């Protein structure tokens, strides 16, 4: 898989697809934008690792599969030795492929950095386990190496994907946005958790040379966590739409929605 990644990056270079930092806007790559604002767009390569998930696992429920049993990455990807998908070595190696050199002035007020990746850089950008159809999903969604890189870059805005939840949240000095195209089945089954901006009717604009960064957008899950702190210690409960998928064991409870606390009280 590492060899294929290098081949793909070479193909992008041959076809004129940008995979390295580039300045867009006034006097940048966009030649039509003679006046206005600029930003540095920073693509970031990343890969997931299970230790990214630092919150406790769900207990008192039977039948929850492990991440490696569900995610096709484990079956379809082959990595050169001694790299191993079950530890952090693959994520670290992929992160090391990123470009460290930035355009002059990038990261300053006049040239903010807009970075993007497929995977998540922070666990706070995904719902807690009790809210997920696959409670072990967070073990295959993100990279701590990606978070360190974004913090070192000083990104003003980071766009991410993978989990298919609409998201717009600011943590520290960085704003994080997800606006997933998703699958038609997802828009049919759970549109409220996908919705952000004008999606799915129109793409989400996060920056333009006339106005800079777009205003904050409404998104169900990021708004939930603006009002409610994460409580990952509630490991014995599942959301009412998740609970029917698994077998309840002694001590297991179904939580209220949307607050996420056990119906019998916090246990």
């Amino acid at each position: 898989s590492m060899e294929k990644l290098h081949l793909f990056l070479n193909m992008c270079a041959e076809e004129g697809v940008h995979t390295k930092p580039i300045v867009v806007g006034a006097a940048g790559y966009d030649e039509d934008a003679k006046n206005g604002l600029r930003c540095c767009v920073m693509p970031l390569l990343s890969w997931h690792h299970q230790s990214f998930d630092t919150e406790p696992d769900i207990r008192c429920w039977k039948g929850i599969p492990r991440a490696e049993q569900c995610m096709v990455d484990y079956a379809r990807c082959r990595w050169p030795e001694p790299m191993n998908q079950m530890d952090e070595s693959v994520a670290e190696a992929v992160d090391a492929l990123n470009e460290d050199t930035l355009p002059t002035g990038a990261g300053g007020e006049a040239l903010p950095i807009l970075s993007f990746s497929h995977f998540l850089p922070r666990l706070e950008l995904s719902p807690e386990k009790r809210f997920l159809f696959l409670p072990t999903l967070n073990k295959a969604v993100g990279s701590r190496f990606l978070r360190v890189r974004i913090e070192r870059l000083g990104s003003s805005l980071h766009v991410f994907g993978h989990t298919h939840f609409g998201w717009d949240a600011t943590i520290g000095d960085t704003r994080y946005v997800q606006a997933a195209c998703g699958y038609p089945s997802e828009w049919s089954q759970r549109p409220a958790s996908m919705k952000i901006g004008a999606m799915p009717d129109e793409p989400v604009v996060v920056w333009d040379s006339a106005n800079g960064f777009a205003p904050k957008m409404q998104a169900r899950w990021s708004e939930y966590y603006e009002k409610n702190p994460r409580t990952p210690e509630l490991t014995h409960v599942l959301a009412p739409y998740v609970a029917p998928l698994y077998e309840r064991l002694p001590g297991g409870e179904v939580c209220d929605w949307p607050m996420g606390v056990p119906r019998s009280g916090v246990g």
Side-chain angles (χ1 to χ4, degrees):
S1 293
M2 188 63 77
E3 181 181 357
K4 287 184 178 179
L5 176 56
H6 284 289
L7 290 173
F8 180 75
L9 292 173
N10 290 336
M11 181 179 68
C12 288
E14 293 173 358
E15 296 297 327
V17 177
H18 295 284
T19 61
K20 297 182 182 299
I22 186 171
V23 176
V24 299
Y29 177 72
D30 184 359
E31 296 180 354
D32 294 329
K34 301 299 183 183
N35 301 304
L37 303 172
R38 301 188 306 157
C39 81
C40 175
V41 177
M42 183 81 176
L44 294 177
L45 296 170
S46 60
W47 196 258
H48 58 86
H49 56 92
Q50 294 200 13
S51 57
F52 173 78
D53 176 21
T54 56
E55 294 179 341
D57 292 332
I58 293 293
R59 58 185 178 84
C60 302
W61 291 86
K62 184 179 179 180
I64 298 175
R66 299 190 303 272
E68 61 269 25
Q69 293 176 308
C70 302
M71 307 301 289
V72 297
D73 296 347
Y74 289 90
R76 296 183 179 177
C77 296
R78 296 290 183 269
W79 304 100
E81 295 182 355
M83 294 165 60
N84 187 336
Q85 177 65 74
M86 296 303 294
D87 58 30
E88 297 182 350
S89 57
V90 176
E92 185 174 19
V94 173
D95 175 75
L97 298 176
N98 286 301
E99 180 69 53
D100 287 324
T101 303
L102 292 173
T104 302
E109 184 175 348
L111 190 58
I113 294 174
L114 192 167
S115 55
F116 67 93
S117 63
H118 177 79
F119 293 107
L120 280 61
R122 304 182 67 109
L123 187 57
E124 302 99 308
L125 302 175
S126 182
E128 295 160 271
K129 291 181 175 69
R130 64 186 180 278
F131 297 131
L132 299 171
F133 287 114
L134 177 63
T136 52
L137 176 68
N138 287 341
K139 296 185 185 301
V141 301
S143 166
R144 69 176 183 87
F145 303 100
L146 178 61
R147 172 178 176 173
V148 170
R149 185 167 294 276
I150 292 169
E151 291 176 345
R152 187 166 66 242
L153 286 171
S155 299
S156 295
L157 186 147
H158 183 80
V159 177
F160 64 99
H162 190 59
T163 49
H164 294 193
F165 293 112
W167 213 283
D168 190 345
T170 297
I171 304 175
D173 296 326
T174 302
R175 178 183 175 188
Y176 298 90
V177 172
Q178 179 175 190
C181 290
Y183 299 104
S185 59
E186 291 178 304
W187 285 105
S188 174
Q189 296 169 5
R190 55 178 187 89
S193 65
M194 300 278 290
K195 184 71 176 176
I196 182 172
M199 294 287 288
D201 300 321
E202 297 179 7
V204 167
V205 176
V206 294
W207 183 92
D208 65 54
S209 60
N211 303 296
F213 292 107
K216 180 176 174 57
M217 296 170 284
Q218 292 185 327
R220 180 179 187 175
W221 276 111
S222 51
E223 289 186 345
Y224 171 82
Y225 282 112
E226 287 178 0
K227 302 172 183 176
N228 303 282
R230 293 180 78 89
T231 52
E233 66 274 10
L234 297 177
T235 57
H236 62 298
V237 298
L238 291 178
Y241 55 86
V242 177
L245 301 175
Y246 305 105
E247 179 183 348
R248 189 191 308 200
L249 300 176
E253 295 189 62
V254 178
C255 66
D256 278 331
W257 177 253
M259 292 307 296
V261 297
R263 290 176 177 168
S264 62
V266 178

